[in-house]
Amino acid sequence: MGLSVGAAEATSRNAGASHASHGLQRWELPFSPGPLSADEFAAYWQEGYLVKSGLLSEALLRRAREAVEAEVDLVAEALLKAGKIHSGCRNEGFETRLACIERQYPSASVLLHKRGVLPEAFSELWGSCQLTAAVQQLLGPDIAGHPVWNLRSKAPQQAEMNVPWHQDNAYMSEEAWNNLTVVAWIPLVDANENNGCMQVLEQGHRSGQTAKHTCCQGGTWYVEMDEQDAAQRLHVDMQQDVITCPMPAGSVLLMNAHSKLLILFLHPTECVLFAPLVLLLQPSPPKYSESP
């Protein structure tokens, strides 16, 4: 996810005590009509995730891809100016250009990931009517956008883009753990086992608890979940409950932030996975009035 882990000085997080007794039931709402069907709504609460196609318009997705292309341009220009690469690979397509740059400068995808500039097209995705309407079915009418977002560029053989098992709310302060957060993961190219798709653990969200996480994994900025603690605390089998989620470009993976997930990358490929990650949070912040 790319942020600090709650209290920045901590190297591990012991979790669960603050919300151990209530589980998922304290968040579940009755079904209301919207972009999610009644079956999809039920599946989200039962499994902790849902792959939804057709939620975002092609125009929105096209602008998001154009925004990524512009960001890759900026990275390429900076590397050319610094003499780190000899070609900006402008003849390559959307799915292969960053891989071409990576062959010359292996950390190019990390530079793109860490730019931290929110393109307007991503804001449009974040606030799109269909996405917010689907999230309102899950959270209620009053929602707020969490300040965390990511552009995940997963290039071939780039170890720093291999994300370990984690729960997204492990990146948040503990005060946030009693709020339900919906995560939307949106691939801009087809996502599969070859170029990097998501894996989740079925029903890993149902206890409503957060397992122990340690920061940081290897030489990266990622927190890593303690799998033994997770198996006991969240009542999952780390081998049998793994679900792989290949997805077509433009579909949306909606997840509970208490769900466990990683980005899977099994085989080398010349294509790059681009996926912006959006978080939406309930409840919305309180509205403050001016003092009289």
Side-chain angles (χ1 to χ4, degrees):
M1 294 277 301
L3 12 151
S4 60
V5 186
E9 69 277 6
T11 57
S12 66
R13 304 289 294 274
N14 284 302
S18 64
H19 52 243
S21 61
H22 302 294
L24 187 69
Q25 291 75 21
R26 69 190 187 278
W27 291 317
E28 286 192 67
L29 298 176
F31 174 75
S32 59
L36 305 182
S37 69
D39 287 344
E40 290 171 332
F41 179 86
Y44 174 86
W45 289 110
Q46 176 66 25
E47 308 301 339
Y49 73 97
L50 174 71
V51 176
K52 176 67 174 176
S53 297
L55 193 61
L56 301 170
S57 72
E58 182 53 41
L60 278 174
L61 295 166
R62 182 181 66 254
R63 289 195 291 272
R65 295 186 189 103
E66 290 169 351
V68 172
E69 290 176 330
E71 291 292 304
V72 173
D73 267 339
L74 292 173
V75 170
E77 289 170 10
L79 290 172
L80 282 168
K81 186 176 180 180
K84 301 295 184 180
I85 60 176
H86 58 80
S87 169
C89 302
R90 291 187 177 278
N91 292 329
E92 296 285 340
F94 178 72
E95 297 185 11
T96 58
R97 186 183 179 193
L98 187 59
C100 176
I101 296 170
E102 278 267 336
R103 288 195 290 271
Q104 304 169 70
Y105 188 80
S107 296
S109 60
V110 178
L111 295 179
L112 180 64
H113 177 66
K114 288 294 187 178
R115 269 183 51 76
V117 178
L118 178 66
E120 183 177 351
F122 287 5
S123 296
E124 293 174 353
L125 278 181
W126 203 332
S128 66
C129 293
Q130 287 294 92
L131 179 58
T132 55
V135 172
Q136 284 173 320
Q137 286 180 269
L138 301 171
L139 298 180
D142 296 323
I143 62 173
H146 194 282
V148 171
W149 66 277
N150 275 303
L151 170 62
R152 180 71 62 192
S153 52
K154 189 144 180 48
Q157 308 295 349
Q158 179 47 269
E160 290 176 325
M161 293 290 109
N162 290 331
V163 182
W165 282 114
H166 66 283
Q167 293 168 283
D168 274 343
N169 58 336
Y171 284 92
M172 305 175 194
S173 63
E174 294 185 26
E175 307 92 273
W177 291 354
N178 284 317
N179 291 327
L180 177 62
T181 301
V182 174
V183 182
W185 194 80
I186 308 166
L188 298 179
V189 301
D190 292 342
N192 52 56
E193 293 182 359
N194 290 322
N195 68 340
C197 62
M198 297 291 282
Q199 284 188 323
V200 299
L201 278 116
E202 192 172 26
Q203 299 189 12
H205 67 303
R206 293 196 64 81
S207 72
Q209 295 194 47
T210 302
K212 179 180 179 182
H213 289 69
T214 302
C215 185
C216 296
Q217 186 240 10
T220 72
W221 52 91
Y222 300 127
V223 299
E224 184 173 17
M225 186 176 65
D226 184 314
E227 294 188 17
Q228 184 176 359
D229 180 73
Q232 295 175 354
R233 191 184 301 277
L234 307 180
H235 314 298
V236 292
D237 186 315
M238 295 295 299
Q239 302 300 319
Q240 299 299 318
D241 293 334
V242 176
I243 304 294
T244 301
C245 302
M247 297 167 59
S251 54
V252 180
L253 175 59
L254 295 169
M255 295 173 286
N256 183 321
H258 288 79
S259 298
K260 296 185 297 180
L261 57 125
L262 85 166
I263 298 181
L264 173 70
F265 186 48
L266 294 182
H267 307 294
T269 174
E270 291 304 304
C271 296
V272 176
L273 169 72
F274 291 105
L277 184 69
V278 177
L279 301 185
L280 294 132
L281 180 67
Q282 187 223 16
S284 60
K287 296 179 180 179
Y288 296 99
S289 59
E290 293 183 4
S291 300

